[in-house]
Amino acid sequence: MKITRVLARELMEEVENRSAKNGLQCVATRGSHLGAGLYPTKPEDPAVTIQTSKTYHEFACDCTDVAVVYGNYFDFDQLTPNKITDKAAIEYPMGSTTRTEVFGPNGSREMVIEPGGLVESIGTGIRGKKGDGFYVYTGVSVPEGGKFPRGQVAYSSRGEGFKNADIVDSGTPDSQGQFVHHPVAIVGRPKEPTPAILGVGDSILGGAQDNPQDRGFLALALGKDIPWIRVAKGNESSYGFAGAACRFRMRLAKYCTHAIVHYGTNDFLNKNLAQFQTDLIALLQLLSDYGLKNYVCTIPPRTVSKTDMTPVNAAFANGGDVMKANEWLLSNPRPDLIAGVFDTAKVLRNPDKPAEWDPAVLGSDGIHPGAVGHARMAAVIDKSNFKM
């Protein structure tokens, strides 16, 4: 029977919709940039040729074909000086005595990653249920005298930890509270169309000075409802997230549908309003080119210290460039690049002295909000914006 053009087009659209629905994307929480430097970091650090970390994650959608992604780069997308070998397993459901092995793209348990490399495992066969927690065991091996990149902190309060041994398939950690090597993304095929967030920004978006310190407003806002990958880096600015400094992190954009962007506190240490506007638009264009819908956060105060509320420079003073930048953002000057703006800075400022912090929200300095501040920022993030 001859298929009409209309029917053929409808069939093609059905195939495309099915493909979009079942595409590989971020499906869990706490996929994060390896932004905590290399280990060993100091000459006195003991040499380690293998270390296994246990990190906690949560499925933020019903999904199948769960896989993990690992990278061999660090900080502002610098090359690790040597190759690493990753081996992984997943404990799901939590408390299982048998862990599900992870296999690399060549079918081997050992995933060799060259400097700057990114490796996506093949699907594990795990079917995740939204809201369920699970553990990933990551064993990283390095050559004699080699180093490996680290990111998140393993906290005993989440059942996490590490051990300088291969305990990927069995065994328990014996240490915690330090930066560890872990997946940069956890991906799979959502059962239903699901948004996935790429968190792009500075140390505040990275969760600095929350409790635990790698939680932060992004994780609090999205909870178990929306999966995310965070590529934030401390001390970064909007103009810093460009070129070679984001060349590896941007490869993770393909697993996401939306971006939440938090920059500015570092930009205005040495840039003016016009430069910030140009730099931010360039960054948003980059994210948009990768197919992301962008949501931008406003810029918080920055003061000399926790007790000295003097703005660090004129840009952060009343009527300065930072407040002008926030007015500019809230006006949404580029709706083609900005899907929305979250006024997260408003809930951090002293309403009577807007160039200062509300003392209740501060962390240990005049730069970062503490746990109360992150909670207030999270409440501003309206998850209903992220629709498929």
Side-chain angles (χ1 to χ4, degrees), residues 70-121:
Y70 289 102
N72 188 19
Y73 50 89
F74 69 102
D75 290 351
F76 299 104
D77 287 20
Q78 301 175 61
L79 295 170
T80 304
N82 50 263
K83 67 181 179 182
I84 63 174
T85 301
D86 282 354
K87 176 184 174 184
I90 297 175
E91 181 185 320
Y92 180 69
M94 286 170 57
S96 301
T97 55
T98 302
R99 300 167 192 168
T100 299
E101 306 100 322
V102 172
F103 294 92
N106 63 355
S108 171
R109 289 296 306 280
E110 296 185 341
M111 295 173 277
V112 179
I113 313 175
E114 297 292 336
L118 192 75
V119 172
E120 177 189 297
S121 79

Side-chain angles (χ1 to χ4, degrees), residues 141 193 207:
S141 302

Side-chain angles (χ1 to χ4, degrees), residues 200-280:
V200 183
D202 49 31
S203 58
I204 295 177
L205 190 134
Q209 301 204 15
D210 195 5
N211 186 21
Q213 69 175 14
D214 66 350
R215 184 176 59 173
F217 76 91
L218 177 74
L220 288 171
L222 301 180
K224 300 180 181 181
D225 295 324
I226 299 177
W228 52 270
I229 302 170
R230 181 160 49 194
V231 296
K233 174 61 184 151
N235 296 318
E236 194 161 62
S237 56
S238 62
Y239 62 87
F241 190 84
C246 71
R247 55 183 170 163
F248 304 137
R249 284 178 284 173
M250 278 308 303
R251 294 182 300 194
L252 301 176
K254 67 181 179 181
Y255 300 119
C256 298
T257 60
H258 299 71
I260 293 179
V261 178
H262 187 285
Y263 282 119
T265 187
N266 298 314
D267 292 71
F268 284 100
L269 295 179
N270 53 20
K271 298 286 185 178
N272 61 30
L273 177 60
Q275 290 168 322
F276 171 74
Q277 291 170 329
T278 299
D279 294 333
L280 185 67

Side-chain angles (χ1 to χ4, degrees), residues 8-21:
R9 185 172 64 251
E10 289 176 349
L11 289 171
M12 182 61 71
E13 289 175 351
E14 182 179 345
V15 170
E16 290 175 348
N17 289 337
R18 189 183 302 121
S19 176
K21 177 179 178 179

Side-chain angles (χ1 to χ4, degrees), residues 111-176:
M111 295 173 277
V112 179
I113 313 175
E114 297 292 336
L118 192 75
V119 172
E120 177 189 297
S121 79
I122 59 177
T124 59
I126 288 176
R127 293 182 294 169
K129 181 175 176 58
K130 182 175 180 176
D132 281 358
F134 62 98
Y135 290 112
V136 176
Y137 291 79
T138 301
V140 56
S141 302
V142 299
E144 193 71 31
K147 298 175 180 288
F148 61 88
R150 304 184 297 174
Q152 298 174 146
V153 178
Y155 285 100
S156 60
S157 60
R158 295 187 288 222
E160 300 176 323
F162 68 94
K163 185 171 185 171
N164 293 333
D166 181 355
I167 58 165
V168 171
D169 294 325
S170 64
T172 57
D174 59 10
S175 304
Q176 57 85 34

